[in-house]
Amino acid sequence: MGEFKVHRIRFFNHMPSAIRVMAFNSHTERLVVARADGAVEIFNFADNYYQEKVIPGRDGKAVEALCWVGRRLFSAGLDGEITEYDLENLRPRNSMEAYGGPIWTISSNSQGTLLAAGCEDGTVKMFEVLEDRIQFQRNLSRQKGRIISLSWHPTGSQIAAGMLDMIKIFDAETGHATHRLLVERGLQRTSNSQEVVVWSVAFLSDHTIISGDSAGKVQIWDGITGTLVRTHLLTKWDVLVLAVSPDESSVIAGTSEGTVVQFQFISSTVDQQDKQWVRTRTFKSHSHDVRALVHTDTAVVSGGVDTQLVVRPLLDKVEKNTQESAMRKIIFPHRNLVSCAKKAGLLLFQFSDHLELWRLGESDGNGETRAHTRLTSNLRVGRFGEDNICCSALSPCGGWLAYATVSSVRLYRLQLDNNITPLVPLSRLQVSKLPKELNSVHQLSFSSDSSKLFASSILSSVIVASVKELECKYLHTFKPPSGEQPVHLLSPSEDGNWLATANTGGEIHVFDLHCSVPVCGSCPTAVSIHPFSCSLVSVHADQQIFEFSLKQKEFTAWSRKLQKQGMHPLWLQRDAPITRVTFNPNNPTHILLHDTSMFCIVDQILPLPEEKTRFYNQSVLQSLSLGERLRNSHAFKVYRNFQNLLCVDLMEDHSLVVVERPLLDIVSQLPAPVQQKKFAT
């Protein structure tokens, strides 16, 4: 397989943001997650839980509530505005002031015609959902305390509102409160005078109301008579969130102790006449507060302060020993946050509010590697404005740096004297005049000769601009024959003749030849053009690998053989997508790829692994005898001696760059679990 000089880098201090709230669209099987930095992420549960879209956040625009209305997505926060998102252009479409102070919760009726917002001033504001906007309709009867949580009855005739010390039931037609349900103050509190916050309510079809509160209780109410049926004391701290299964037979509750508790509506007798809500399971998947929950038909999805998105299957609802029965933990984004200047030995690390540029260390004569040298402090590039950075790129020569937010693109000319050690300060000059076409982009990439900048724009189009000295000039726009979804992958060829793009609709287009690769049904997670064979290698969310000849405009013989034989079951069972594909210039038959937990070299000369072949980790294979190694040798050489891989790439000197982020660092940076503040923002 050959040997590489490896730069193993562990100083990319990327800290994922805490999960604040989630919402699931059962019709499209999309989960939307909002984080504490305001970012909104959309995961495709039908495509191996792939994170297909990310809408960057903005300072002062933290999301407190999310809501799907059909295929439209709305959010609200403590700034008092309701925002609808443009899911094709990955930006807010429009925002509307509710004029009720901070908004704590939003919820839509099952018909998708009305949107309710619970506000600080004690009003539930009703908005009519129109084709292109929402329009204020009226207020429900105003209350004395803030509205913390909302839940519609499935018929849309009533709405339950959680408040301080009580739950109000409103008639959606008249707007008047019909019942007031008083919540008991802390059974476990040191003082009974402390107010109880009803963090979450659920309104079921049979008019049962379920509430979770700051006194650690889950309570069952009769919504017709307004009486308390049963109290379950879960914790001495807070029950922060509730979620109901689609058939309303199960409810889950998330606590500030990091646990998720399941309740099921079951009977203790054979005749099924005395059904009641019984606590059945407790899951411990988080180290800190569980702030968000979703209950699908087959799984419990949870997220919170520890930044992890956990998909825990309910084994009584799925077939065992299948991919659907495996628990998933999604920590890092399914996209690249590291750019490599292969010719200059530079690395660019992307954070939400700034960029960091680093230079690789150099080896001395004894094979010892000096500590990686960080460039001087003026290489920390801070963003302009309040919008978070959505994408960035570093040119292969190290002379250009570009990044984009939702509202603008910035381009810098970098100058560095590589002959001086230690490094001299970097000269960074901003290109002030950019083409007007570079105003709304999703991804950035430079050509291999660093003379062109590619930027994905609306309707799957790609803008091409030339960069020279301190000038950036618009050249042309590539427009695909089809596609409206945002382009999330850009891959120019080494010879500069082709540019491959992939969008979240699963389409791959190759420009200049202007051909399209057949849609494979699953979203591409990484694409790259081979520098010698001019073939396009794509890896998809379902873990399938394809190789498409750009000259012949058909799948290669190796790709057809791979699809005919099928991928190894252990390869398909991996729960993290491949995020980067590259090639070994010393051996054109080697394809290098990685996800967040493993690095793999695919040797196209060796035989493909069959279903019964042992899929050894290379470290295990090394311990076997020579004969055993030869018998178990196959095309997929997997290395698992890494943790949380964010980047694996080959530099021009054929050294291998490996960027990791240890999980222990993430947990250690979080605060110790504490009792939930009454109204923490």
Side-chain angles (χ1 to χ4, degrees):
M1 295 300 295
E3 295 183 354
F4 298 98
K5 181 178 74 173
V6 177
H7 300 273
R8 194 165 184 177
I9 299 165
R10 297 176 177 176
F11 51 78
F12 182 18
N13 193 27
H14 171 67
M15 179 66 182
S17 188
I19 294 175
R20 296 292 294 268
V21 64
M22 300 189 301
F24 185 67
N25 190 326
S26 58
H27 300 291
T28 63
E29 294 193 70
R30 297 304 198 273
L31 176 78
V32 57
V33 174
R35 295 188 180 268
D37 62 359
V40 173
E41 304 167 357
I42 297 178
F43 294 82
N44 187 348
F45 272 35
D47 199 8
N48 206 15
Y49 307 101
Y50 180 59
Q51 184 192 64
E52 62 180 14
K53 297 178 181 180
V54 177
I55 302 174
R58 188 180 188 187
D59 290 349
K61 294 285 288 186
V63 175
E64 194 71 26
L66 288 168
C67 181
W68 288 102
V69 181
R71 293 177 179 269
R72 298 166 67 180
L73 177 62
F74 295 86
S75 74
L78 302 185
D79 60 353
E81 293 185 347
I82 299 176
T83 300
E84 182 180 1
Y85 293 96
D86 184 342
L87 300 183
E88 283 71 45
N89 293 311
L90 303 183
R91 59 173 54 231
R93 173 174 283 135
N94 49 60
S95 295
M96 180 177 182
E97 175 67 49
Y99 296 103
I103 300 175
W104 293 93
T105 179
I106 56 174
S107 180
S108 72
N109 60 359
S110 58
Q111 296 79 19
T113 58
L114 291 175
L115 187 69
C119 301
E120 178 76 13
D121 66 355
T123 59
V124 177
K125 297 183 179 293
M126 307 291 282
F127 297 86
E128 184 180 2
V129 181
L130 304 178
E131 184 176 352
D132 58 345
R133 68 187 190 281
I134 60 172
Q135 178 175 289
F136 176 74
Q137 187 188 71
R138 60 194 173 92
N139 290 330
L140 301 188
S141 178
R142 186 168 184 170
Q143 307 302 307
K144 290 184 179 180
R146 53 174 65 91
I147 307 296
I148 306 299
S149 52
L150 290 174
S151 179
W152 286 81
H153 188 269
T155 62
S157 60
Q158 293 178 303
I159 186 168
M163 305 171 60
L164 293 178
D165 291 333
M166 70 180 70
I167 301 167
K168 287 288 185 74
I169 302 177
F170 294 91
D171 186 306
E173 290 292 330
T174 65
H176 297 306
T178 59
H179 291 87
R180 184 179 70 163
L181 315 181
L182 296 178
V183 178
E184 294 176 324
R185 292 193 175 183
L187 299 178
Q188 294 286 325
R189 302 292 189 181
T190 58
S191 172
N192 288 334
S193 64
Q194 186 170 357
E195 294 176 325
V196 173
V197 183
V198 181
W199 289 116
S200 185
V201 291
F203 209 159
L204 307 186
S205 300
D206 63 357
H207 290 274
T208 296
I209 295 176
I210 303 176
S211 64
D213 59 45
S214 60
K217 305 188 304 295
V218 169
Q219 294 189 303
I220 316 297
W221 306 82
D222 186 329
I224 298 177
T225 63
T227 57
L228 178 64
V229 176
R230 188 167 184 181
T231 296
H232 296 273
L233 183 61
L234 302 190
T235 171
K236 63 181 180 179
W237 305 120
D238 296 56
V239 175
L240 299 172
V241 61
L242 298 172
V244 183
S245 64
D247 62 1
E248 297 186 350
S249 65
S250 173
V251 172
I252 51 176
T255 75
S256 59
E257 293 180 320
T259 58
V260 176
V261 181
Q262 183 184 17
F263 296 87
Q264 291 177 279
F265 194 53
I266 57 178
S267 174
S268 59
T269 61
V270 178
D271 58 9
Q272 301 286 313
Q273 295 298 316
D274 60 340
K275 283 188 176 182
Q276 56 184 331
W277 287 99
V278 179
R279 178 175 175 173
T280 54
R281 297 186 182 98
T282 298
F283 307 121
K284 178 65 175 176
S285 303
H286 298 273
S287 61
H288 291 64
D289 305 29
V290 177
R291 295 290 305 269
L293 284 176
V294 162
H295 197 327
T296 69
D297 287 318
T298 59
V300 171
V301 188
S302 57
V305 176
D306 67 0
T307 77
Q308 297 183 103
L309 179 66
V310 178
V311 182
R312 180 182 287 273
L314 300 172
L315 296 182
D316 57 333
K317 301 290 186 179
V318 299
E319 295 182 12
K320 294 184 178 180
N321 300 322
T322 63
Q323 189 174 13
E324 194 178 17
S325 67
M327 189 176 77
R328 305 291 185 96
K329 286 190 177 183
I330 302 172
I331 305 173
F332 297 105
H334 294 167
R335 58 195 174 102
N336 290 318
L337 299 177
V338 180
S339 298
C340 300
K342 299 183 179 183
K343 299 176 181 178
L346 299 176
L347 298 177
L348 180 68
F349 296 157
Q350 176 184 319
F351 297 84
S352 62
D353 60 349
H354 71 280
L355 303 170
E356 289 184 2
L357 194 62
W358 296 67
R359 184 182 184 182
L360 294 176
E362 298 177 354
S363 176
D364 60 20
N366 299 321
E368 295 291 333
T369 302
R370 302 173 190 166
H372 291 74
T373 306
R374 182 180 177 180
L375 298 182
T376 52
S377 58
N378 62 347
L379 294 197
R380 175 185 168 107
V381 180
R383 67 179 185 203
F384 282 82
E386 298 177 337
D387 294 320
N388 288 346
I389 296 172
C390 65
C391 60
S392 59
L394 187 64
S395 65
C397 70
W400 295 96
L401 183 153
Y403 78 88
T405 66
V406 168
S407 58
S408 65
V409 176
R410 300 280 175 173
L411 178 65
Y412 294 94
R413 185 73 170 103
L414 307 179
Q415 294 178 339
L416 180 69
D417 191 341
N418 292 323
N419 297 320
I420 300 178
T421 303
L423 294 173
V424 300
L426 181 76
S427 173
R428 182 187 71 199
L429 300 175
Q430 181 181 346
V431 179
S432 57
K433 293 183 179 180
L434 297 180
K436 62 180 180 180
E437 289 80 5
L438 290 174
N439 59 359
S440 177
V441 304
H442 310 131
Q443 289 296 322
L444 293 166
S445 181
F446 286 93
S447 61
S448 60
D449 63 0
S450 304
S451 66
K452 294 181 179 66
L453 174 65
F454 304 106
S456 64
S457 187
I458 60 174
L459 300 178
S460 297
S461 62
V462 178
I463 297 166
V464 183
S466 66
V467 290
K468 184 179 181 181
E469 299 300 330
L470 283 176
E471 292 183 344
C472 180
K473 293 183 178 181
Y474 169 77
L475 296 179
H476 51 267
T477 299
F478 288 132
K479 295 182 179 180
S482 63
E484 296 184 354
Q485 295 298 317
V487 168
H488 67 297
L489 298 175
L490 290 171
S491 180
S493 63
E494 288 289 331
D495 58 11
N497 291 331
W498 299 301
L499 174 69
T501 71
N503 64 29
T504 56
E507 298 171 318
I508 299 176
H509 299 289
V510 182
F511 294 104
D512 203 16
L513 282 180
H514 210 79
C515 68
S516 297
V517 178
V519 177
C520 300
S522 180
C523 188
T525 65
V527 297
S528 188
I529 298 176
H530 199 290
F532 304 117
S533 65
C534 297
S535 60
L536 173 73
V537 176
S538 64
V539 190
H540 298 254
D542 60 1
Q543 309 297 356
Q544 297 292 332
I545 302 174
F546 296 92
E547 186 181 36
F548 187 83
S549 173
L550 299 180
K551 293 182 177 180
Q552 302 298 325
K553 297 187 179 181
E554 63 180 13
F555 290 111
T556 65
W558 180 85
S559 182
R560 292 194 297 269
K561 179 181 178 182
L562 179 63
Q563 293 306 310
K564 182 178 180 180
Q565 180 171 320
M567 306 294 292
H568 195 279
L570 292 180
W571 178 267
L572 296 176
Q573 289 172 16
R574 293 169 29 258
D575 60 3
I578 298 296
T579 55
R580 189 184 297 260
V581 175
T582 188
F583 305 95
N584 184 0
N586 290 332
N587 193 329
T589 64
H590 286 181
I591 303 173
L592 284 65
L593 35 81
H594 77 89
D595 60 20
T596 56
S597 61
M598 71 91 206
F599 164 59
C600 179
I601 299 177
V602 181
D603 191 335
Q604 294 179 295
I605 293 180
L606 295 179
L608 297 171
E610 298 179 354
E611 182 176 354
K612 296 182 179 179
T613 302
R614 294 186 178 183
F615 210 71
Y616 283 117
N617 183 4
Q618 288 299 295
S619 61
V620 176
L621 201 61
Q622 294 284 339
S623 64
L624 302 179
S625 64
L626 178 60
E628 184 102 12
R629 286 204 302 272
L630 293 176
R631 284 192 298 271
N632 288 279
S633 179
H634 54 77
F636 285 72
K637 307 299 182 183
V638 177
Y639 300 82
R640 294 189 178 275
N641 298 336
F642 303 99
Q643 54 180 339
N644 300 320
L645 280 175
L646 295 177
C647 175
V648 177
D649 208 349
L650 274 173
M651 308 302 281
E652 189 178 59
D653 63 358
H654 302 165
S655 63
L656 195 67
V657 172
V658 179
V659 182
E660 299 174 80
R661 177 58 160 91
L663 177 61
L664 291 177
D665 288 352
I666 295 177
V667 176
S668 66
Q669 291 182 35
L670 296 174
V674 295
Q675 180 181 341
Q676 184 75 16
K677 300 295 184 182
K678 184 176 293 185
F679 296 107
T681 60

